[in-house]
Amino acid sequence: AQSVTQLGSHVSVSEGALVLLRCNYSSSVPPYLFWYVQYPNQGLQLLLKYTSAATLVKGINGFEAEFKKSETSFHLTKPSAHMSDAAEYFCAVTLSGSARQLTFGSGTQLTVLP
Amino acid sequence: SQTIHQWPATLVQPVGSPLSLECTVEGTSNPNLYWYRQAAGRGLQLLFYSVGIGQISSEVPQNLSASRPQDRQFILSSKKLLLSDSGFYLCAWSELAAPSTQYFGPGTRLTVL
């Protein structure tokens, strides 16, 4: 079975500060991992994905995530938060590589303070 | 490039009325298609997925049904809406072969009064 846990349902950062959103997965085999962003009243947009290539994955809008097998983590970071980053972020995992078996985390709401 | 459309964008319906939400995908063939619901504060819930025309799998028992009359068309329906059907409905598609990624539509906000 696969699962993903997002630590912190709400995260607040100041504009210009580091953004760190945590995601840990449970898997006995190498997973495929995804981060999505959802702005209010919009669909989910793919930020980045890990598919067993480079462990440091760069995505859109200046975000990146690092796959750490020893920590079973795939945390999302951005060096400097912008007001436009305020949104909900979802981590997702699939073991088989098939999107049919995609499991989503419960989401983290990011607030950016001026 | 591929695009996914959903309509309507918003919908307000009385309890007991029927529902039909439509999703279409352009720029790809034989996609897997998905319906999700987001209720307030409850994350993403997978409702249905489809691997081909007329092939629908239901993930949770409920008041809703889905159909796929054409390769790139996915419809979510209900004969009689309940208050609990309110939420944000998202359609998504993915490639048939793994590794694959889900791509989401803009969503439909449904309010049942």
Side-chain angles (χ1 to χ4, degrees):
Chain A
Q2 62 196 35
S3 66
V4 61
T5 302
Q6 291 185 241
L7 297 175
S9 58
H10 292 83
V11 171
S12 293
V13 299
S14 298
E15 191 174 18
L18 171 72
V19 176
L20 171 60
L21 303 182
R22 300 179 186 274
C23 174
N24 288 89
Y25 66 90
S26 173
S27 168
S28 58
V29 299
Y32 294 79
L33 294 156
F34 305 80
W35 274 102
Y36 289 86
V37 60
Q38 185 179 30
Y39 299 101
N41 290 311
Q42 295 186 27
L44 276 68
Q45 180 182 7
L46 181 68
L47 272 177
L48 49 82
K49 61 183 177 182
Y50 168 75
T51 56
S52 73
T55 56
L56 182 62
V57 182
K58 294 187 182 298
I60 61 172
N61 302 340
F63 284 93
E64 63 182 36
E66 186 172 8
F67 173 69
K68 291 187 176 181
K69 182 178 179 180
S70 61
E71 299 177 9
T72 61
S73 69
F74 190 57
H75 301 333
L76 183 70
T77 61
K78 182 174 180 178
S80 178
H82 191 271
M83 297 297 289
S84 61
D85 295 326
E88 188 155 24
Y89 293 79
F90 292 91
C91 182
V93 63
T94 176
L95 301 185
S96 64
S98 169
R100 285 175 52 190
Q101 282 83 38
L102 197 62
T103 299
F104 285 89
S106 54
T108 297
Q109 183 68 47
L110 176 66
T111 300
V112 182
L113 305 171
Chain B
S1 64
Q2 300 88 5
T3 56
I4 178 169
H5 305 278
Q6 287 186 245
W7 63 90
T10 60
L11 191 60
V12 180
Q13 293 284 93
V15 169
S17 63
L19 173 74
S20 181
L21 303 181
E22 190 166 344
C23 170
T24 59
V25 181
E26 296 177 355
T28 187
S29 296
N30 302 317
N32 287 337
L33 296 171
Y34 310 82
W35 277 112
Y36 288 88
R37 177 170 59 201
Q38 276 185 305
R42 297 190 65 180
L44 282 160
Q45 180 185 33
L46 179 63
L47 301 175
F48 302 95
Y49 71 87
S50 172
V51 300
I53 295 174
Q55 300 179 64
I56 309 294
S57 296
S58 175
E59 291 295 303
V60 292
Q62 61 209 314
N63 185 42
L64 302 169
S65 62
S67 62
R68 185 171 176 175
Q70 300 180 42
D71 180 47
R72 290 169 290 175
Q73 184 185 31
F74 205 22
I75 297 173
L76 184 69
S77 303
S78 174
K79 293 182 178 178
K80 290 186 177 182
L81 284 168
L82 306 172
L83 287 174
S84 57
D85 291 324
S86 293
F88 194 54
Y89 288 82
L90 290 161
C91 182
W93 74 274
S94 70
E95 306 94 333
L96 196 61
S100 53
T101 301
Q102 285 192 24
Y103 300 95
F104 286 79
T108 295
R109 173 73 60 190
L110 172 65
T111 302
V112 182
L113 301 175

